[in-house]
Amino acid sequence: MQVGTGRSILNGIAIGKLKIYKKKDTVISAAEVADTAAEVARFEDARAKAIDQQTALYEKALAEAGEDIAEVFNIHAMMLDDDDFVDAIKEIINGQHKCAEYAVKTAGDNQAAVFAAMDDPYLQARSADVIDIAQAILDILQGVDNATLQGTEPSILVAEDLAPSETVRMDKSLLLGFITREGSSNSHTAILARSMNIPALIQCKVIQDDWDGKMAVVDGYNACVYVDPTPDLLKSLKKRQQEDQKKQALLQELKGKSNTTLDGKTINVFANIGGMSDVGAVQQNDADGVGLFRTEFVYLNCKDFPTEDYQFEAYKQVLESLAPRKVVVRTCDIGADKTVDYMKLDHEENPALGYRAIRICLTRKDFFKTQLRALLRASAYGNMSIMFPMITSLRELQDAKAVLDECRAELRAEGKKFDEKLEVGTMIETPAAVLIADELAEECDFFSIGTNDLTQYTCALDRQNAKLEPFFNPHHPAVLRAIKMTIDAGHRHGIWVGICGELGADTALTETFLRMGVDELSMNAKSVLPVRKIIRSIDLSKPSDK
């Protein structure tokens, strides 16, 4: 038996034969070509097919993993339309008289190197995206079909690394798990694996070619893989796998039941969504409502500024589908790691601390009003609450509410209906907001704590930087104290307080949050039932044993 260790992506067990996923080596000629016009035509044809391919991958990821994950393929399609990238390829073909394959490979490598050399971790990560789209064009040019690399029987795939496009293309009924030598736990592929409940091990350095066809077990709980496990070990891990499956079946029995502790305290357990495609998961997992509707995906899915009517229809569809459930909508949080070309945002040395979210909205008032008018109009068709992101001062909140009031007055004058009693709240995701929470609470109907950014800003750790993973502690005492301070401030002023960041799904903290007095937890839809199970086992009338 051989044991390999790495970094686990999901607490789970995968058992099956290993399948080495190795792409065919293809030779690219560096010889000069005579007919450069023909090579440009070949490239343009392949590029058009690659864009169609990314669109198909978007639809597939949307159905299997939701809006957040699928968005990477929209970004890939936009990158394939990038003038700098396209012009660089054509210049190599025409200027150096090279074939299309050579030009695509060279331009892709050059562009990837530019991103890799940047200081910003998010932009560094885009290096892998460039390589992925360049490879997509190359595969089309060379007639390479990677669909057969997975094999025809259920297996655990083993690879150097996997691009998001490769993971999405795979037949999930044949994918038991995967192991890669490289990779990051924050990569799109890792997030995809978690969302689809696929046990995976990354950064496993002992991968060998002779593993192909051998029986193995990926043990996500202990972050290791057992190749040719002993009969006793295999029996033990199969039992653990069966126990996991039974737990999943038991969770389904919690549907329709309340999120009430043993001593009678009930809280709301909501889901986070990116758009209409996530509504099914909210319903299937029996979430009480939506605690975070990330409206920036409406913008990311468009090639130009979405109109008021377009946004109205997008929001109305979600509201109608989930009524009477509450849907808490976050106004546009574009910026930092989420950008769109048509907004023409300047490159920033430190985008996490830069021009983003409410800062864009308050300095581009027409842009902001278009969204607020659409949201107000949609509020007539369901149970909507609106919250503003990245608030750091009382003035910002007051200014945002003033724009909202201006939109209300316009719609009344136009005779358009909306919910006059709509709740208005703010995200608490900066230390500044925590420290002035009492003042903010006087202007709000609720708080929603964004723990991802709150952790980042409190601990001075860029959450996009993979090198900082060893230093990242989501349970940092300072973060937990900030959460408690916010809950207390909200309750002093009679407003409800929720948590909508990653910590909302952290069952190790569920009891802690309930004892702090949190009123609502919002999370990825698949975590709703596991959190409900924990809530129903807690007795707040007794001292905590933690």
Side-chain angles (χ1 to χ4, degrees):
M1 181 177 73
Q2 185 178 0
V3 181
T5 59
R7 183 182 289 274
S8 177
I9 293 302
L10 181 78
N11 284 341
I13 304 290
I15 302 173
K17 288 183 178 180
L18 296 171
K19 170 71 176 175
I20 301 293
Y21 184 88
K22 187 176 289 186
K23 294 181 181 179
K24 297 174 183 176
D25 290 328
T26 53
V27 178
I28 295 176
S29 173
E32 290 191 3
V33 296
D35 192 349
T36 56
E39 292 303 308
V40 170
R42 287 182 65 231
F43 160 66
E44 286 291 10
D45 181 60
R47 185 170 73 91
K49 289 178 179 176
I51 291 173
D52 290 343
Q53 195 178 78
Q54 297 301 313
T55 303
L57 288 172
Y58 170 81
E59 297 296 338
K60 193 169 189 290
L62 201 60
E64 295 177 350
E67 189 88 38
D68 287 16
I69 305 302
E71 186 50 39
V72 66
F73 300 108
N74 261 342
I75 294 170
H76 282 189
M78 286 189 284
M79 292 172 80
L80 285 163
D81 261 336
D82 181 73
D83 288 341
D84 290 338
F85 182 57
V86 173
D87 289 347
I89 293 169
K90 290 181 178 178
E91 182 60 32
I92 292 171
I93 295 173
N94 291 319
Q96 300 180 34
H97 294 270
K98 300 294 185 181
C99 67
E101 289 90 338
Y102 180 92
V104 170
K105 180 72 166 63
T106 303
D109 287 349
N110 290 343
Q111 189 66 44
V114 169
F115 278 115
M118 290 181 177
D119 293 331
D120 176 57
Y122 175 78
L123 292 174
Q124 287 176 357
R126 300 290 66 74
S127 175
D129 290 317
V130 175
I131 292 171
D132 201 3
I133 63 169
Q135 190 60 53
I137 300 173
L138 284 172
D139 286 346
I140 293 167
L141 285 168
Q142 297 181 318
V144 174
D145 179 13
N146 289 314
T148 59
L149 295 178
Q150 187 179 0
T152 57
E153 62 178 341
S155 59
I156 299 168
L157 289 188
V158 182
E160 281 295 307
D161 204 355
L162 289 170
S165 57
E166 291 173 312
T167 310
V168 169
R169 280 193 190 99
M170 290 174 187
D171 182 343
K172 301 308 174 295
S173 67
L174 301 178
L175 184 61
L176 302 176
F178 66 77
I179 305 165
T180 62
R181 190 188 303 275
E182 306 299 333
S184 160
S185 57
N186 291 320
S187 70
H188 291 304
T189 300
I191 295 169
L192 191 60
R194 282 192 289 269
S195 70
M196 295 189 294
N197 211 35
I198 301 170
L201 197 65
I202 62 172
Q203 299 172 21
C204 181
K205 302 300 184 183
V206 297
I207 290 174
Q208 297 177 13
D209 286 344
D210 67 0
W211 284 9
D212 198 42
K214 291 184 177 180
M215 176 59 68
V217 180
V218 174
D219 182 353
Y221 295 99
N222 295 302
C224 64
V225 56
Y226 304 102
V227 182
D228 283 336
T230 64
D232 287 344
L233 179 60
L234 184 59
K235 182 179 179 181
S236 172
L237 290 170
K238 277 184 177 178
K239 183 178 179 182
R240 180 66 186 271
Q241 186 184 51
Q242 290 166 355
E243 289 171 355
D244 286 349
Q245 292 166 348
K246 287 179 182 178
K247 286 178 182 177
Q248 287 298 316
L250 287 172
L251 284 176
Q252 297 304 306
E253 297 177 7
L254 290 171
K255 287 185 176 181
K257 296 185 178 179
S258 65
N259 305 300
T260 304
T261 62
L262 293 172
D263 58 308
K265 177 179 173 61
T266 300
I267 73 164
N268 288 314
V269 178
F270 287 176
N272 299 335
I273 68 170
M276 189 62 197
S277 61
D278 296 327
V279 166
V282 175
Q283 297 167 332
Q284 290 163 17
N285 290 279
D286 198 33
D288 296 325
V290 170
L292 174 62
F293 178 0
R294 301 182 181 93
T295 60
E296 54 271 15
F297 288 105
V298 173
Y299 297 84
L300 290 166
N301 288 336
C302 292
K303 292 187 176 180
D304 202 348
F305 291 96
T307 65
E308 179 183 323
D309 285 342
Y310 176 87
Q311 292 189 60
F312 163 67
E313 291 295 338
Y315 306 143
K316 173 176 174 282
Q317 193 176 17
V318 171
L319 267 290
E320 283 182 327
S321 300
L322 289 172
R325 292 180 175 97
K326 182 190 291 291
V327 177
V328 181
V329 179
R330 179 176 70 188
T331 59
C332 185
D333 190 10
I334 287 289
D337 61 333
K338 298 184 287 288
T339 61
V340 288
D341 290 341
Y342 59 80
M343 290 192 70
K344 294 181 170 54
L345 300 176
D346 294 332
H347 170 68
E348 296 180 296
E349 291 300 322
N350 196 339
L353 299 179
Y355 188 54
R356 61 173 291 198
I358 202 67
R359 297 165 184 175
I360 293 176
C361 292
L362 291 178
T363 53
R364 298 188 180 187
K365 190 176 175 183
D366 289 344
F367 165 82
F368 194 26
K369 285 182 66 176
T370 298
Q371 179 177 36
L372 292 180
R373 284 175 56 92
L375 286 171
L376 285 170
R377 288 170 56 195
S379 71
Y381 296 87
N383 183 4
M384 179 193 286
S385 300
I386 290 177
M387 64 179 174
F388 303 115
M390 281 299 293
I391 294 293
T392 61
S393 72
L394 182 61
R395 177 63 181 272
E396 289 171 355
L397 176 58
Q398 290 171 335
D399 287 350
K401 289 179 65 181
V403 179
L404 183 63
D405 285 340
E406 189 178 321
C407 293
R408 284 184 172 123
E410 289 177 359
L411 292 175
R412 287 191 197 101
E414 294 167 16
K416 292 179 178 174
K417 61 182 181 177
F418 61 90
D419 181 3
E420 292 278 3
K421 297 180 180 179
L422 173 143
E423 285 185 328
V424 179
T426 187
M427 297 277 287
I428 302 292
E429 50 191 336
T430 67
V434 173
L435 294 173
I436 60 166
D438 280 292
E439 290 92 327
L440 295 175
E442 292 181 357
E443 296 278 346
C444 290
D445 296 309
F446 67 93
F447 283 157
S448 187
I449 303 171
T451 58
N452 300 353
D453 271 330
L454 183 60
T455 302
Q456 170 175 245
Y457 296 132
T458 300
C459 300
L461 284 170
D462 185 342
R463 61 191 179 103
Q464 298 288 340
N465 191 338
K467 293 179 182 177
L468 297 180
E469 283 188 33
F471 303 98
F472 189 79
N473 176 15
H475 295 191
H476 195 292
V479 176
L480 297 181
R481 287 174 193 170
I483 292 171
K484 181 68 167 75
M485 288 170 63
T486 302
I487 294 170
D488 289 346
H491 289 173
R492 277 195 294 271
H493 296 271
I495 67 173
W496 64 267
V497 183
I499 293 173
C500 66
E502 288 293 312
L503 291 188
D506 190 336
T507 53
L509 289 174
T510 302
E511 182 173 348
T512 299
F513 291 148
L514 263 62
R515 290 187 181 277
M516 287 181 180
V518 74
D519 303 294
E520 175 252 13
L521 295 170
S522 192
M523 60 206 65
N524 64 79
K526 290 183 179 179
S527 295
V528 167
L529 294 177
V531 169
R532 178 174 296 169
K533 182 175 185 294
I534 296 294
I535 291 171
R536 292 173 62 86
S537 70
I538 294 169
D539 189 340
L540 296 174
S541 67
K542 297 179 180 178
S544 173
D545 57 2
K546 294 183 179 179

